[in-house]
Amino acid sequence: QVQLVESGGGSVQAGGSLRVSCAASGRMISSYAMGWFRQASGKEREFVAAITRSGDNTGYADSVKGRFTMFRDSAKNTVYLQMNSLKPEDTAVYYCAAGFAPVSAPFYTGSSQYDYWGQGTQVIVSS
């Protein structure tokens, strides 16, 4: 079992940048497909970004493509989401997730494909 803890959330102005982190413990992140999701108040949780178990491919929601980058630091057993050019509509609680995946599996974009979730970190973008 892997435990995930997000951090790095906060309040920023539109156009600013923020990096949120997801520290894993118990198991190595290299054993899982990893993803970032977000949930705005009153809305459904939505896919943001994902990386394959092998780390060779990433995928992004159209709404964040070109602005957000997901990457991992295996030595620190941590995955990150670098968020640039933030918009008010990016305001949400951001969650990281880990999912069992074969070595050659593609990145996962569905919530149901993940097995473990962090508690989330709040990101607020003001105009």
Side-chain angles (χ1 to χ4, degrees), residues 8-12 18 20 83 86 90-94 121-125:
S11 181
V12 298
L18 197 66
V20 290
M83 301 179 286
L86 283 161
D90 294 318
T91 296
V93 175
Y94 283 72
T121 185
Q122 176 71 245
V123 172
I124 300 174
V125 184

PDB file of all heavy atoms in Angstrom, residues 8-12 18 20 83 86 90-94 121-125:
ATOM      1  N   GLY A   8       2.051  22.175  -1.198  1.00  0.00           N
ATOM      2  CA  GLY A   8       2.433  23.234  -2.111  1.00  0.00           C
ATOM      3  C   GLY A   8       1.301  24.104  -2.604  1.00  0.00           C
ATOM      4  O   GLY A   8       1.531  25.057  -3.358  1.00  0.00           O
ATOM      5  N   GLY A   9       0.084  23.796  -2.202  1.00  0.00           N
ATOM      6  CA  GLY A   9      -1.037  24.622  -2.607  1.00  0.00           C
ATOM      7  C   GLY A   9      -0.982  25.984  -1.948  1.00  0.00           C
ATOM      8  O   GLY A   9      -0.246  26.208  -0.989  1.00  0.00           O
ATOM      9  N   GLY A  10      -1.775  26.892  -2.475  1.00  0.00           N
ATOM     10  CA  GLY A  10      -1.806  28.234  -1.932  1.00  0.00           C
ATOM     11  C   GLY A  10      -2.621  29.150  -2.805  1.00  0.00           C
ATOM     12  O   GLY A  10      -3.355  28.700  -3.687  1.00  0.00           O
ATOM     13  N   SER A  11      -2.486  30.430  -2.554  1.00  0.00           N
ATOM     14  CA  SER A  11      -3.213  31.450  -3.294  1.00  0.00           C
ATOM     15  C   SER A  11      -2.250  32.271  -4.143  1.00  0.00           C
ATOM     16  O   SER A  11      -1.233  32.757  -3.643  1.00  0.00           O
ATOM     17  CB  SER A  11      -3.965  32.356  -2.318  1.00  0.00           C
ATOM     18  OG  SER A  11      -4.703  33.338  -3.010  1.00  0.00           O
ATOM     19  N   VAL A  12      -2.571  32.391  -5.422  1.00  0.00           N
ATOM     20  CA  VAL A  12      -1.743  33.163  -6.345  1.00  0.00           C
ATOM     21  C   VAL A  12      -2.625  34.002  -7.247  1.00  0.00           C
ATOM     22  O   VAL A  12      -3.823  33.740  -7.386  1.00  0.00           O
ATOM     23  CB  VAL A  12      -0.841  32.257  -7.215  1.00  0.00           C
ATOM     24  CG1 VAL A  12       0.130  31.474  -6.352  1.00  0.00           C
ATOM     25  CG2 VAL A  12      -1.695  31.309  -8.045  1.00  0.00           C
ATOM     26  N   LEU A  18       2.716  28.031  -9.730  1.00  0.00           N
ATOM     27  CA  LEU A  18       2.696  27.288  -8.485  1.00  0.00           C
ATOM     28  C   LEU A  18       3.099  25.858  -8.782  1.00  0.00           C
ATOM     29  O   LEU A  18       2.758  25.323  -9.840  1.00  0.00           O
ATOM     30  CB  LEU A  18       1.300  27.333  -7.868  1.00  0.00           C
ATOM     31  CG  LEU A  18       1.140  26.960  -6.392  1.00  0.00           C
ATOM     32  CD1 LEU A  18       1.850  27.979  -5.509  1.00  0.00           C
ATOM     33  CD2 LEU A  18      -0.341  26.900  -6.035  1.00  0.00           C
ATOM     34  N   VAL A  20       2.803  22.078  -7.107  1.00  0.00           N
ATOM     35  CA  VAL A  20       2.285  21.219  -6.065  1.00  0.00           C
ATOM     36  C   VAL A  20       3.030  19.897  -6.104  1.00  0.00           C
ATOM     37  O   VAL A  20       3.458  19.434  -7.165  1.00  0.00           O
ATOM     38  CB  VAL A  20       0.761  20.996  -6.191  1.00  0.00           C
ATOM     39  CG1 VAL A  20       0.020  22.283  -5.863  1.00  0.00           C
ATOM     40  CG2 VAL A  20       0.382  20.517  -7.580  1.00  0.00           C
ATOM     41  N   MET A  83       2.545  24.345 -12.427  1.00  0.00           N
ATOM     42  CA  MET A  83       1.431  25.076 -13.010  1.00  0.00           C
ATOM     43  C   MET A  83       1.866  26.498 -13.326  1.00  0.00           C
ATOM     44  O   MET A  83       2.214  27.263 -12.427  1.00  0.00           O
ATOM     45  CB  MET A  83       0.234  25.077 -12.057  1.00  0.00           C
ATOM     46  CG  MET A  83      -0.258  23.680 -11.708  1.00  0.00           C
ATOM     47  SD  MET A  83      -1.670  23.690 -10.564  1.00  0.00           S
ATOM     48  CE  MET A  83      -0.823  24.133  -9.043  1.00  0.00           C
ATOM     49  N   LEU A  86      -1.383  30.584 -14.571  1.00  0.00           N
ATOM     50  CA  LEU A  86      -2.600  30.166 -13.888  1.00  0.00           C
ATOM     51  C   LEU A  86      -3.768  31.103 -14.172  1.00  0.00           C
ATOM     52  O   LEU A  86      -3.593  32.310 -14.304  1.00  0.00           O
ATOM     53  CB  LEU A  86      -2.351  30.071 -12.391  1.00  0.00           C
ATOM     54  CG  LEU A  86      -1.581  28.815 -11.965  1.00  0.00           C
ATOM     55  CD1 LEU A  86      -0.977  29.001 -10.577  1.00  0.00           C
ATOM     56  CD2 LEU A  86      -2.497  27.603 -11.988  1.00  0.00           C
ATOM     57  N   ASP A  90      -8.602  27.657 -12.759  1.00  0.00           N
ATOM     58  CA  ASP A  90      -7.770  26.589 -12.225  1.00  0.00           C
ATOM     59  C   ASP A  90      -7.987  26.394 -10.730  1.00  0.00           C
ATOM     60  O   ASP A  90      -7.447  25.453 -10.147  1.00  0.00           O
ATOM     61  CB  ASP A  90      -6.290  26.879 -12.481  1.00  0.00           C
ATOM     62  CG  ASP A  90      -5.936  26.869 -13.954  1.00  0.00           C
ATOM     63  OD1 ASP A  90      -6.427  25.981 -14.683  1.00  0.00           O
ATOM     64  OD2 ASP A  90      -5.155  27.744 -14.380  1.00  0.00           O
ATOM     65  N   THR A  91      -8.741  27.279 -10.115  1.00  0.00           N
ATOM     66  CA  THR A  91      -9.020  27.171  -8.689  1.00  0.00           C
ATOM     67  C   THR A  91      -9.722  25.857  -8.384  1.00  0.00           C
ATOM     68  O   THR A  91     -10.768  25.551  -8.956  1.00  0.00           O
ATOM     69  CB  THR A  91      -9.886  28.348  -8.226  1.00  0.00           C
ATOM     70  OG1 THR A  91      -9.161  29.570  -8.384  1.00  0.00           O
ATOM     71  CG2 THR A  91     -10.278  28.189  -6.765  1.00  0.00           C
ATOM     72  N   ALA A  92      -9.147  25.084  -7.487  1.00  0.00           N
ATOM     73  CA  ALA A  92      -9.693  23.771  -7.149  1.00  0.00           C
ATOM     74  C   ALA A  92      -8.834  23.125  -6.080  1.00  0.00           C
ATOM     75  O   ALA A  92      -7.745  23.607  -5.753  1.00  0.00           O
ATOM     76  CB  ALA A  92      -9.730  22.865  -8.386  1.00  0.00           C
ATOM     77  N   VAL A  93      -9.332  22.031  -5.550  1.00  0.00           N
ATOM     78  CA  VAL A  93      -8.508  21.166  -4.724  1.00  0.00           C
ATOM     79  C   VAL A  93      -7.830  20.178  -5.660  1.00  0.00           C
ATOM     80  O   VAL A  93      -8.501  19.519  -6.454  1.00  0.00           O
ATOM     81  CB  VAL A  93      -9.338  20.414  -3.665  1.00  0.00           C
ATOM     82  CG1 VAL A  93      -8.460  19.434  -2.892  1.00  0.00           C
ATOM     83  CG2 VAL A  93      -9.984  21.403  -2.712  1.00  0.00           C
ATOM     84  N   TYR A  94      -6.532  20.085  -5.563  1.00  0.00           N
ATOM     85  CA  TYR A  94      -5.770  19.213  -6.442  1.00  0.00           C
ATOM     86  C   TYR A  94      -5.389  17.937  -5.710  1.00  0.00           C
ATOM     87  O   TYR A  94      -4.840  17.986  -4.607  1.00  0.00           O
ATOM     88  CB  TYR A  94      -4.518  19.930  -6.950  1.00  0.00           C
ATOM     89  CG  TYR A  94      -4.826  20.915  -8.041  1.00  0.00           C
ATOM     90  CD1 TYR A  94      -5.490  22.108  -7.755  1.00  0.00           C
ATOM     91  CD2 TYR A  94      -4.483  20.651  -9.366  1.00  0.00           C
ATOM     92  CE1 TYR A  94      -5.804  23.003  -8.759  1.00  0.00           C
ATOM     93  CE2 TYR A  94      -4.788  21.543 -10.375  1.00  0.00           C
ATOM     94  CZ  TYR A  94      -5.452  22.723 -10.064  1.00  0.00           C
ATOM     95  OH  TYR A  94      -5.761  23.610 -11.071  1.00  0.00           O
ATOM     96  N   THR A 121      -4.731  19.283  -2.007  1.00  0.00           N
ATOM     97  CA  THR A 121      -4.185  20.572  -1.598  1.00  0.00           C
ATOM     98  C   THR A 121      -4.910  21.663  -2.374  1.00  0.00           C
ATOM     99  O   THR A 121      -5.132  21.542  -3.580  1.00  0.00           O
ATOM    100  CB  THR A 121      -2.658  20.630  -1.822  1.00  0.00           C
ATOM    101  OG1 THR A 121      -2.144  21.853  -1.298  1.00  0.00           O
ATOM    102  CG2 THR A 121      -2.294  20.522  -3.295  1.00  0.00           C
ATOM    103  N   GLN A 122      -5.291  22.712  -1.680  1.00  0.00           N
ATOM    104  CA  GLN A 122      -6.102  23.767  -2.267  1.00  0.00           C
ATOM    105  C   GLN A 122      -5.255  24.747  -3.067  1.00  0.00           C
ATOM    106  O   GLN A 122      -4.206  25.207  -2.610  1.00  0.00           O
ATOM    107  CB  GLN A 122      -6.856  24.522  -1.164  1.00  0.00           C
ATOM    108  CG  GLN A 122      -7.666  25.715  -1.652  1.00  0.00           C
ATOM    109  CD  GLN A 122      -8.886  25.309  -2.438  1.00  0.00           C
ATOM    110  OE1 GLN A 122      -8.988  25.581  -3.643  1.00  0.00           O
ATOM    111  NE2 GLN A 122      -9.817  24.653  -1.766  1.00  0.00           N
ATOM    112  N   VAL A 123      -5.732  25.056  -4.260  1.00  0.00           N
ATOM    113  CA  VAL A 123      -5.107  26.066  -5.102  1.00  0.00           C
ATOM    114  C   VAL A 123      -6.163  27.117  -5.429  1.00  0.00           C
ATOM    115  O   VAL A 123      -7.234  26.790  -5.939  1.00  0.00           O
ATOM    116  CB  VAL A 123      -4.549  25.468  -6.406  1.00  0.00           C
ATOM    117  CG1 VAL A 123      -4.086  26.572  -7.355  1.00  0.00           C
ATOM    118  CG2 VAL A 123      -3.406  24.515  -6.100  1.00  0.00           C
ATOM    119  N   ILE A 124      -5.860  28.360  -5.125  1.00  0.00           N
ATOM    120  CA  ILE A 124      -6.778  29.460  -5.393  1.00  0.00           C
ATOM    121  C   ILE A 124      -6.079  30.469  -6.291  1.00  0.00           C
ATOM    122  O   ILE A 124      -5.002  30.967  -5.960  1.00  0.00           O
ATOM    123  CB  ILE A 124      -7.233  30.142  -4.097  1.00  0.00           C
ATOM    124  CG1 ILE A 124      -7.961  29.142  -3.191  1.00  0.00           C
ATOM    125  CG2 ILE A 124      -8.124  31.342  -4.401  1.00  0.00           C
ATOM    126  CD1 ILE A 124      -8.321  29.690  -1.837  1.00  0.00           C
ATOM    127  N   VAL A 125      -6.696  30.770  -7.406  1.00  0.00           N
ATOM    128  CA  VAL A 125      -6.146  31.726  -8.357  1.00  0.00           C
ATOM    129  C   VAL A 125      -7.104  32.904  -8.445  1.00  0.00           C
ATOM    130  O   VAL A 125      -8.262  32.749  -8.846  1.00  0.00           O
ATOM    131  CB  VAL A 125      -5.938  31.110  -9.744  1.00  0.00           C
ATOM    132  CG1 VAL A 125      -5.263  32.120 -10.667  1.00  0.00           C
ATOM    133  CG2 VAL A 125      -5.111  29.839  -9.646  1.00  0.00           C
TER     134      VAL A 125
END
